[in-house]
Amino acid sequence: MAFVIAEPCIDVKDSACVDVCPVDCIYEGSDQFYIHPDECIDCGICDPECPVEAIFDENGLPDEWLSYIEKNRAFFED
């Protein structure tokens, strides 16, 4: 997984990231959007489009939001 959507997306769900994704790998959940780890091509186009700056490279995710890595994985396991 290269990119993770974190807390700033919660209950905002602005779809600007979805609109620019060339492979349609961003999915809407009940409280936020999620990036499918197997479908993402790591292009990074979504990152600058997020108006609330909620998209992070997994390796650059702030410590307080590290739990969103697992939250993202769990979303796609269901």
Side-chain angles (χ1 to χ4, degrees):
M1 174 186 324
F3 290 94
V4 176
I5 299 177
E7 186 174 302
C9 186
I10 298 289
D11 296 326
V12 173
K13 297 195 299 185
D14 183 295
S15 64
C17 60
V18 176
D19 296 338
V20 298
C21 180
V23 294
D24 298 322
C25 71
I26 303 174
Y27 295 83
E28 185 173 357
S30 62
D31 62 344
Q32 72 173 77
F33 285 108
Y34 296 88
I35 298 174
H36 195 294
D38 296 329
E39 295 175 2
C40 179
I41 59 171
D42 305 332
C43 68
I45 292 173
C46 58
D47 185 6
E49 295 301 316
C50 180
V52 293
E53 300 179 3
I55 301 174
F56 297 88
D57 179 286
E58 180 178 355
N59 297 322
L61 195 63
D63 288 344
E64 67 266 27
W65 295 330
L66 288 175
S67 64
Y68 283 84
I69 295 171
E70 183 54 37
K71 183 178 182 188
N72 191 81
R73 285 189 184 129
F75 179 79
F76 292 105
E77 288 178 355
D78 292 338

